Amino acid sequence: MYAQMVKSTGDAVKSREDMSDDERHFQDKVDANIKVEPRDWMPDDYRKTLIRQIGQHAHSEIVGQLPEGNWITRAPTLERKAILLAKVQDEAGHGLYLYCAAETLGVTRDELTEKLLSGRMKYSSIFNYPTLTWADMGAVGWLVDGAAIMNQVPLQRTSYGPYSRAMVRICKEESFHQRQGYAIMMKMAQGSPAQRKMAQDALNRMWYPSLMMFGPSDKDSVHSAQSMAWKIKINTNDELRQKFVNETVPQAEYLGLTIPDENLKFNEETGNYDFSQPDWDEFFEVLKGNGPCNTDRLNARRKAWDDGAWVREGLLAHAEKRAAAKVAAE
Ligand code: FAQ
């Protein structure tokens, strides 16, 4: 239903004949892999799409701290606590780089936050699922960061300069995150029968939500065609999902865990694993705000925004005072 709704408003890719001279020149530049920089001319819709994607990505990094932050005080050892703390702090940094990249397009962080809190902007569906046990810290790192890297490595080559440069650093850190998750899974999978059961349970719950991170199937993707023509996106949602499955299945086998999909099978002809699609109705429900944790996540962000008001006001007052002093001195 939602899929049909969004599809009917989908972005049509403009043909070369319909482009203005500026648009043609812009497309030639993108085709030649020349980066677009903040002061360069760009089509309004290119700017709009980037603000949407980078803004949603930034919100995801920040909201994504919540499911893991939930376990910092309950990490099983001091070492695990320190590692998880560092990882969650990295996510705050990623949010920061991405908000800065979005700001170069003429939108403020306050505007982006206001859109998130009023439900006019999204964040990744995955963060609307709860983290119920310590094994979920392993599954989040292994699968969620794993899916994030799969999506973000190609984005290092995205056409917009500030976004692509932010991605280079983010990918380095995400790669550490994925490994720390896999290390937790190894420990649990090789541990006691109870630990092994927790690891399998975490995989069972996180598998399909992780597949959903790549977005709807290509036939229902609204923005892919135009975003790919502009090299905002480098791959389709289904291409990246398939790549993720291909890389993750052997990792699960190494752990001795079972991916919860009876149809999962290596296909000799295509060289890919065949797999079951996630429940797309559930995905669209989560996008509409009806996932298990949507309300909690937005309430937490709202509280953080309200609690931080005095800091923002203080900083603004300080900046205004300095600007006034500078004018007086001139
Ligand atoms: N969740 O036409 P498409 C991380 C929306 S990484 C929610 O295919 P598009 C790291 C989409 O916005 C996670 N909404 O859209 C971390 C659109 O609705 P709209 C974040 C989704 O943009 C790890 C509609 O569906 N990564 O957080 C989702 O071409 C651990 C139609 O879809 C990024 O954001 C979804 N999963 O492709 C942090 C990467 N999928 O906006 C902490 C950059 C789709 O028209 C802990 N983003 N929608 O109302 C992208 O690559 C793209 O935006 C996609 C979606 C691939 C996510």
Side-chain angles (χ1 to χ4, degrees):
M1 168 69 183
Y2 177 85
Q4 283 161 1
M5 200 171 81
V6 287
K7 209 172 177 214
S8 64
T9 59
D11 303 343
V13 183
K14 229 182 201 181
S15 70
R16 212 171 158 78
E17 296 77 58
D18 292 336
M19 289 179 190
S20 66
D21 286 348
D22 279 342
E23 285 170 337
R24 251 192 304 274
H25 176 69
F26 178 83
Q27 190 62 52
D28 289 344
K29 186 169 151 180
V30 168
D31 291 344
N33 291 325
I34 299 169
K35 292 281 180 235
V36 180
E37 296 298 339
R39 286 167 193 270
D40 296 350
W41 185 89
M42 60 186 84
D44 283 347
D45 282 343
Y46 176 85
R47 187 185 297 276
K48 235 170 81 185
T49 303
L50 272 175
I51 291 174
R52 180 186 61 79
Q53 181 168 319
I54 302 174
Q56 289 185 1
H57 194 165
H59 295 326
S60 304
E61 301 283 355
I62 300 299
V63 177
Q65 292 180 290
L66 296 169
E68 289 177 294
N70 178 36
W71 279 91
I72 290 171
T73 53
R74 289 175 287 162
T77 66
L78 183 62
E79 191 190 10
R80 290 285 179 206
K81 188 200 282 271
I83 295 170
L84 185 61
L85 200 55
K87 187 217 187 262
V88 173
Q89 282 176 338
D90 283 352
E91 308 299 0
H94 298 176
L96 184 67
Y97 313 149
L98 289 163
Y99 283 128
C100 288
E103 280 175 323
T104 64
L105 291 155
V107 66
T108 67
R109 206 175 306 185
D110 285 10
E111 284 168 325
L112 292 172
T113 307
E114 196 277 314
K115 280 191 168 174
L116 170 74
L117 298 183
S118 62
R120 283 178 296 140
M121 242 180 133
K122 297 185 171 72
Y123 56 89
S124 183
S125 50
I126 186 73
F127 302 118
N128 292 306
Y129 290 85
T131 44
L132 302 178
T133 72
W134 173 253
D136 287 11
M137 294 305 93
V140 168
W142 172 35
L143 300 173
V144 176
D145 286 275
I149 303 175
M150 195 55 78
N151 168 278
Q152 289 168 189
V153 164
L155 288 179
Q156 293 176 109
R157 289 180 283 121
T158 193
S159 57
Y160 189 56
Y163 192 24
S164 79
R165 290 188 285 273
M167 276 305 135
V168 172
R169 179 147 178 196
I170 291 177
C171 283
K172 287 197 173 110
E173 292 175 351
E174 295 291 19
S175 155
F176 147 67
H177 296 171
Q178 197 265 357
R179 280 162 198 222
Q180 69 84 36
Y182 197 69
I184 294 176
M185 289 307 267
M186 283 243 269
K187 195 90 185 163
M188 305 275 303
Q190 292 167 357
S192 67
Q195 285 175 312
R196 207 179 163 70
K197 206 169 151 208
M198 277 166 71
Q200 181 63 53
D201 172 61
L203 170 57
N204 292 350
R205 283 180 293 103
M206 293 288 171
W207 175 251
Y208 288 103
S210 299
L211 295 186
M212 292 174 189
M213 285 177 71
F214 297 96
S217 61
D218 291 350
K219 68 179 173 34
D220 290 325
S221 172
V222 187
H223 305 290
S224 285
Q226 182 60 76
S227 287
M228 287 176 75
W230 278 330
K231 296 190 185 168
I232 289 175
K233 272 169 92 163
I234 309 296
N235 302 90
T236 73
N237 301 350
D238 285 337
E239 279 169 7
L240 291 175
R241 194 171 6 255
Q242 180 70 62
K243 232 174 145 210
F244 173 75
V245 173
N246 288 353
E247 287 201 8
T248 310
V249 173
Q251 294 169 1
E253 282 169 358
Y254 187 76
L255 292 171
L257 298 178
T258 308
I259 289 180
D261 180 359
E262 285 176 2
N263 298 318
L264 189 74
K265 195 169 180 286
F266 189 71
N267 183 329
E268 297 285 351
E269 246 171 63
T270 61
N272 291 317
Y273 280 91
D274 293 336
F275 62 97
S276 302
Q277 290 295 311
D279 178 347
W280 290 116
D281 288 341
E282 176 183 317
F283 171 76
F284 290 117
E285 277 304 310
V286 173
L287 259 56
K288 279 196 278 179
N290 301 327
C293 298
N294 293 62
T295 308
D296 286 353
R297 301 299 185 230
L298 274 187
N299 283 345
R301 288 307 306 138
R302 228 170 255 128
K303 183 174 181 321
W305 186 248
D306 292 345
D307 289 352
W310 68 274
V311 180
R312 293 192 300 278
E313 280 161 20
L315 285 173
L316 272 178
H318 179 66
E320 277 164 17
K321 209 170 147 192
R322 279 189 58 165
K326 201 172 162 211
V327 171
E330 277 169 6

